[in-house]
Amino acid sequence: MDILIFYAISTLLILMSIAIALSRRLMHSLIFLFFFVVLVSSMFILLAFPFLGVAELIIYNGGIVVLLTVAASLIPEERLGFDRKKILIALPILMIALMLILPFGQASTTGVGQTNQPSLGIYLFSHYSLLILVAAVTLLASLMTAVYFIRSVEGE
Amino acid sequence: MIPYEYIFYLTSILFVIAVFGMLMRKNLINFVISIEIVINAALINFAAGSYYFGYLNGVSYALLILVIAVFEAAVAIALIIFYHKITDNLEMSALKEYRG
Amino acid sequence: MMLYLILLPMLISMTLTAFLKDKLVRSRLIAVSMTSLSLLISSVFFYVYFSKDLIENFSWFNIETYTFQISFIANNLHLLMAVVVSFISLLILIFSVFYMRREKQEKYYFEMSLFIFAMLGLVVSNSFILFYIFWELMSISSYLLIGFWYEKEAASKAAKKALILTKVGDVSLLTAIIILFANTGTLSISATLSGLSSIPQVYLTVSAALFIIAALSKSAQFPFYVWLPDAMEAPTTVSALLHSATMVASGAFLLIMIAPLMYVSGTMVYLVLISLITIFISSLLALESVDTKRILAYSTIDSLAFMFLAVATLNPDGALFYLIMHAVFKSLLFLLAGELIILFGTRNIFKLRGLEIGKPIFYVPAFIGLASLAGIPPFLGFFAHATLSYNFSISIELIFMVATFLTSLFSFRLFFTVYHKNGTEKIREDKFAIIPIATLSILSTVGGASLFFFNSIIPIAYSFDLFLVLDSIIALLGLFAAYYFYSNRDFPYAKLDKKLKSIFRGVTYDDVLASTGTAITKFSGLVDRFEGALGEAFDSVGSLSFSLSYISRELQSGDLSNYIVIFIAGAILVMILMLVGV
């Protein structure tokens, strides 16, 4: 049963990403990104991490995609194209070929299933406290950077 | 349940499609969107790793990466807005005139 | 005990001349005083450690279990060389007070101090790595000194040529040192020489061949001799110190020092061959040069070839004696040439002839020096030839006699062309110039007697046999032939021409001279092409780096889209490396 849901979600994910890569209008890409993030969140719920799924929805969809949409509204509507050299398609093709033959160290494992979900918070703050601190400080710094940039743009 | 290889194939395909998007589009916002796709693919990978080995390390990394992605996107968009103010379009090819 | 004290004065001199301006303290005062201090210290050490063999080690650093040591050796051989080097350097520095009056003092004395420091370090060092370091230091100071007047393009080109050609020797020296180190596990020269039996024969031969190549390139033998005539762009005192007495002798000193290694390896027959070729090339080229310093440069190559010949015939002590005596009379000759240049302003022997120099103060030392070079008794060269030729076989003796004739011919060609019978010029002498020349002339005259008690310093064998007598007669023959040919140049070959015509009935001297001249010109053409090819090889290395930089410059274009491509390509490369298993 899980496998079917996984196939469905993964097919939609791949379709959405192709749509993002190939769409000609910026707004369409953003819509597809939104749906992509919803699908990723559902994948997290499938993998039994509801906290991560909800966090992704709030942070990504509510933050980043909105920000990108605001930025994209600066551009007048036009059809975008692909204007690089066509030979560069070889690079992604080479990459996928390599990645699909990267050897796997151990045999195919089946999942453990449920992890101890309620202890995620305790685990995070006891083992990764320093990283959280660093991330918080960096977040503050980037906040100030962004504000500074925008103010210098507007302040003229 | 779901064998780990499936998830790895999924994420690698997503990654490669995003790389295609990075290479072939000339708009800066498309570039940032492709980077977001890459980050999401990595998130799926981390979560799957945590799912399969029963340790909570993967999820912790995933949460922290999420936070990092936020502020990286914030700074990038600030720079894009700044850039738009100067050049009035969002093309990558104009960036090379600002080197040095 | 503290053998590094020999080096310390020169180190002080280097630092002081580098940092003190000439107006504050005279650089020449520093250099001369420090060199005399060095001479004093090395003489004291020589006296104290006479006939003792002392090795002194300082630990430098260690890599795992092997400790690199700075080790000095106090041996008769090494300390004698130190005394000789400091003595000659002192005399030449005194002369350069007169010679370099109008040049940049600090630069000159700094570079000379650097050179003397390197040479002294070379002769007392017992560790191969230390020897190599001082060898390279000598190359660098030679480059700096040859290019002293670097505004002249010829001087900077000559400096580059010297550096590049001696670099070949440096590389082979390093390779030989590494081969020996890999086989014996020690870098100390004395330990290597006493442990020769433990090295396989093939490595002995290879390292001996590489040592010989290093010595050949440093001492300007065939095929590396092309840098020495061009190095005459240097000031004459530099030529006197570096390119006659000490630096080019360091190649011969290397072979003398590791003589036991050379003799076990069986490469000596090739060295004989190379020395003989060099003798003939240099003598013939000297016969057709018109520049005083160039003739002296070719005579240096000639004398060095004699030294190599002595080493090759299993006579290293004879080579050492000849080396020391050669330092004396060759530096005398160079100092005289320098005096002529300063006082009369030209190097061309025919122009000097036109100036009609004839005062005894000029030509007596020149005669003494050139007679020593040629080997005429009772001057220094005669005794030096006595010990040089101790081990010569009959065939080598015959060839050596021809070589002596040629040597004497070109030396006295120089003498009779430059100095005229009737001197008509009036030039005042400078006391700084007189002292070194007078000292060296006196040494050249009476120094031959030192042969007889040299035996107590270094066991030396000499014989005054028939060959030596014949040799000196041939040298005198060369003198008279040169007198005959070159003295009255107004009617150059008339007499000889008639005589030859009567003997050969048809072949004139002009024909003989013309064919010899053509042969020499063709040969020099080959040499020139060798130099040209060498230059082009180095040019192409330079242009290769240019084209590589053009390619790699495009990588940093500032274009974000290009950067992305390179980034992705790099990621693919990393994945490939992961797959391969790095």
Side-chain angles (χ1 to χ4, degrees):
Chain A
M1 182 62 185
D2 277 347
I3 292 274
L4 292 173
I5 303 182
F6 174 75
Y7 282 152
I9 295 180
S10 62
T11 319
L12 281 172
L13 270 176
I14 294 178
L15 280 176
M16 283 296 116
S17 62
I18 292 179
I20 290 178
L22 292 181
S23 86
R24 294 203 169 254
R25 291 175 60 162
L26 197 52
M27 279 302 169
H28 292 184
S29 299
L30 284 169
I31 302 282
F32 293 139
L33 181 68
F34 185 90
F35 196 44
F36 181 86
V37 170
V38 168
L39 283 169
V40 168
S41 169
S42 64
M43 175 71 93
F44 284 144
I45 298 181
L46 177 63
L47 289 178
F49 294 113
F51 176 71
L52 197 58
V54 172
E56 165 112 5
L57 265 180
I58 298 178
I59 297 175
Y60 238 98
N61 269 337
I64 295 177
V65 176
V66 169
L67 210 53
L68 278 171
T69 316
V70 167
S73 66
L74 296 169
I75 306 177
E77 283 293 318
E78 60 188 8
R79 300 183 70 81
L80 305 170
F82 311 91
D83 59 345
R84 306 294 303 281
K85 298 200 254 286
K86 289 291 185 283
I87 188 135
L88 287 176
I89 290 192
L91 277 178
I93 294 181
L94 190 59
M95 209 176 222
I96 189 67
L98 281 176
M99 283 174 118
L100 290 180
I101 54 173
L102 262 180
F104 276 65
Q106 51 254 28
S108 149
T109 58
T110 55
V112 173
Q114 302 278 351
T115 48
N116 211 352
Q117 187 62 10
S119 70
L120 173 63
I122 300 177
Y123 188 85
L124 199 60
F125 277 92
S126 62
H127 287 157
Y128 292 97
S129 50
L130 276 177
L131 270 177
I132 293 177
L133 203 59
V134 166
V137 171
T138 320
L139 197 55
L140 205 58
S142 71
L143 179 66
M144 287 194 276
T145 311
V147 168
Y148 173 75
F149 265 128
I150 302 298
R151 291 225 36 163
S152 72
V153 166
E154 286 179 27
E156 293 159 18
Chain B
M1 305 244 213
I2 311 168
Y4 180 60
E5 288 88 0
Y6 287 11
I7 300 207
F8 184 74
Y9 293 149
L10 168 71
T11 49
S12 38
I13 291 176
L14 286 179
F15 178 70
V16 169
I17 294 175
V19 162
F20 170 79
M22 258 198 271
L23 281 178
M24 301 298 276
R25 306 302 293 255
K26 67 175 180 188
N27 206 351
L28 267 176
I29 297 191
N30 268 321
F31 183 70
V32 173
I33 293 177
S34 306
I35 290 189
E36 304 302 328
I37 300 182
V38 169
I39 291 180
N40 276 314
L43 277 180
I44 298 181
N45 226 348
F46 273 116
S50 169
Y51 179 67
Y52 278 99
F53 295 102
Y55 299 121
L56 282 175
N57 287 325
V59 179
S60 321
Y61 293 147
L63 273 174
L64 288 167
I65 289 175
L66 203 51
V67 170
I68 290 173
V70 168
F71 55 66
E72 166 244 327
V75 172
I77 292 181
L79 283 171
I80 287 177
I81 292 182
F82 199 65
Y83 185 63
H84 176 76
K85 196 81 164 126
I86 294 179
T87 53
D88 261 345
N89 62 343
L90 292 173
E91 309 256 333
M92 274 209 271
S93 44
L95 268 179
K96 66 181 161 198
E97 295 173 21
Y98 293 98
R99 69 181 155 188
Chain C
M1 261 311 274
M2 303 181 284
L3 281 169
Y4 55 82
L5 278 184
I6 297 182
L7 302 178
L8 202 59
M10 297 320 296
L11 206 56
I12 297 178
S13 158
M14 269 166 61
T15 21
L16 287 180
T17 45
F19 292 116
L20 290 179
K21 286 220 165 289
D22 196 49
K23 296 187 188 36
L24 200 60
V25 182
R26 287 278 181 195
S27 314
R28 59 187 186 219
L29 190 65
I30 298 172
V32 170
S33 56
M34 286 297 144
T35 315
S36 44
L37 193 60
S38 221
L39 174 64
L40 191 67
I41 294 179
S42 30
S43 324
V44 164
F45 275 123
F46 181 64
Y47 181 67
V48 167
Y49 291 114
F50 195 73
S51 296
K52 292 197 199 60
D53 203 350
L54 181 77
I55 300 178
E56 190 183 356
N57 289 329
F58 300 100
S59 291
W60 195 7
F61 61 95
N62 19 357
I63 296 182
E64 288 189 13
T65 49
Y66 184 78
T67 312
F68 281 92
Q69 295 177 322
I70 301 181
S71 74
F72 296 112
I73 183 167
N75 205 358
N76 270 353
L77 167 68
H78 293 87
L79 285 177
L80 179 66
M81 279 295 292
V83 170
V84 167
V85 165
S86 27
F87 178 67
I88 300 276
S89 320
L90 180 64
L91 287 178
I92 292 180
L93 278 179
I94 294 179
F95 186 81
S96 33
V97 170
F98 156 70
Y99 190 78
M100 304 290 285
R101 256 185 324 229
R102 297 193 206 97
E103 305 288 340
K104 290 206 183 98
Q105 303 276 316
E106 304 117 352
K107 181 162 103 149
Y108 176 75
Y109 286 107
F110 171 71
E111 291 171 357
M112 288 295 257
S113 311
L114 176 67
F115 173 76
I116 299 172
F117 169 71
M119 187 72 197
L120 282 176
L122 188 92
V123 300
V124 295
S125 78
N126 191 27
S127 150
F128 271 122
I129 283 293
L130 204 62
F131 186 87
Y132 181 71
I133 292 175
F134 285 123
W135 183 277
E136 292 276 13
L137 264 181
M138 279 207 301
S139 283
I140 295 287
S141 58
S142 162
Y143 168 76
L144 287 172
L145 282 167
I146 295 177
F148 186 73
W149 291 310
Y150 54 87
E151 295 92 5
K152 273 198 314 184
E153 189 188 344
S156 63
K157 277 171 78 164
K160 255 191 308 187
K161 183 194 277 195
L163 190 64
I164 291 177
L165 276 172
T166 50
K167 188 56 69 181
V168 175
D170 295 343
V171 169
S172 53
L173 181 65
L174 191 62
T175 318
I177 291 175
I178 292 175
I179 290 178
L180 281 179
F181 177 58
N183 273 309
T184 56
T186 172
L187 275 174
S188 144
I189 299 183
S190 47
T192 311
L193 287 179
S194 47
L196 276 179
S197 47
S198 61
I199 307 176
Q201 180 65 26
V202 59
Y203 290 123
L204 278 179
T205 317
V206 167
S207 61
L210 288 170
F211 274 124
I212 289 178
I213 293 179
L216 289 181
S217 88
K218 199 62 169 233
S219 303
Q221 304 289 293
F222 180 82
F224 302 109
Y225 65 92
V226 291
W227 66 268
L228 194 55
D230 288 341
M232 294 297 127
E233 297 289 336
T236 313
T237 44
V238 169
S239 303
L241 187 57
L242 263 70
H243 306 128
S244 62
T246 40
M247 178 172 115
V248 293
S250 66
F253 177 70
L254 170 68
L255 290 188
I256 293 172
M257 192 171 63
I258 54 173
L261 173 65
M262 295 285 126
Y263 296 145
V264 190
S265 68
T267 46
M268 287 296 112
V269 60
Y270 300 109
L271 193 58
V272 168
L273 204 63
I274 294 178
S275 317
L276 291 174
I277 295 176
T278 315
I279 292 177
F280 282 106
I281 293 179
S282 55
S283 314
L284 290 175
L285 284 173
L287 272 175
E288 64 144 6
S289 306
V290 295
D291 185 7
T292 42
K293 285 179 69 175
R294 226 177 156 88
I295 295 178
L296 289 176
Y298 285 122
S299 76
T300 308
I301 301 178
D302 197 31
S303 309
L304 286 167
F306 287 167
M307 279 183 240
F308 277 91
L309 199 58
V311 170
T313 52
L314 309 182
N315 190 9
D317 309 309
L320 178 70
F321 188 77
Y322 191 80
L323 197 154
I324 297 175
M325 300 305 149
H326 169 260
V328 170
F329 61 73
K330 194 46 68 67
S331 45
L332 169 67
L333 286 172
F334 267 106
L335 291 184
L336 282 167
E339 201 185 342
L340 288 178
I341 293 174
I342 275 272
L343 293 178
F344 300 109
T346 173
R347 275 152 75 154
N348 193 321
I349 52 179
F350 297 119
K351 291 208 185 90
L352 282 171
R353 182 183 185 83
L355 291 170
E356 295 182 348
I357 306 164
K359 266 169 94 166
I361 196 87
F362 288 124
Y363 72 77
V364 165
F367 184 78
I368 295 177
L370 288 167
S372 298
L373 180 56
I376 296 177
F379 297 106
L380 199 51
F382 175 67
F383 297 96
H385 280 261
T387 169
L388 187 72
S389 56
Y390 182 66
N391 263 344
F392 282 176
S393 60
I394 294 287
S395 44
I396 297 186
E397 280 180 2
L398 288 173
I399 303 180
F400 191 73
M401 285 198 266
V402 178
T404 317
F405 179 72
L406 285 174
T407 310
S408 166
L409 190 63
F410 73 70
S411 333
F412 287 104
R413 168 177 180 258
L414 179 62
F415 184 71
F416 287 117
T417 316
V418 170
Y419 296 107
H420 207 262
K421 267 187 276 213
N422 322 308
T424 51
E425 83 308 332
K426 302 193 182 314
I427 293 283
R428 197 180 60 83
E429 279 297 316
D430 190 318
K431 62 175 179 302
F432 284 114
I434 290 281
I435 295 177
I437 293 183
T439 320
L440 288 171
S441 324
I442 296 175
L443 272 179
S444 301
T445 320
V446 306
S450 71
L451 178 64
F452 300 110
F453 57 88
F454 201 72
N455 202 6
S456 54
I457 304 180
I458 290 176
I460 206 171
Y462 52 89
S463 63
F464 292 97
D465 57 354
L466 177 68
F467 160 67
L468 200 63
V469 172
L470 275 178
D471 203 47
S472 46
I473 292 179
I474 290 186
L476 282 169
L477 217 72
L479 195 161
F480 289 121
Y483 176 72
Y484 206 43
F485 289 157
Y486 299 110
S487 212
N488 323 319
R489 230 173 138 83
D490 309 324
F491 303 99
Y493 311 116
K495 292 184 195 164
L496 184 61
D497 210 7
K498 273 188 234 158
K499 232 188 208 148
L500 266 182
K501 224 184 254 183
S502 66
I503 295 177
F504 289 105
R505 254 166 303 239
V507 176
T508 62
Y509 186 71
D510 279 336
D511 284 344
V512 171
L513 192 62
S515 50
T516 333
T518 335
I520 292 178
T521 321
K522 280 220 187 80
F523 186 76
S524 317
L526 276 177
V527 167
D528 204 30
R529 249 186 288 152
F530 174 67
E531 299 179 43
L534 206 60
E536 265 173 48
F538 290 113
D539 265 347
S540 67
V541 167
S543 64
L544 178 69
S545 78
F546 264 123
S547 33
L548 276 178
S549 79
Y550 280 143
I551 295 175
S552 51
R553 206 190 300 167
E554 295 293 320
L555 283 175
Q556 293 256 332
S557 58
D559 190 0
L560 180 61
S561 8
N562 269 345
Y563 284 171
I564 298 172
V565 172
I566 295 173
F567 170 68
I568 302 291
I572 292 181
L573 189 66
V574 166
M575 278 195 269
I576 292 179
L577 285 178
M578 272 170 55
L579 278 177
V580 166
V582 169

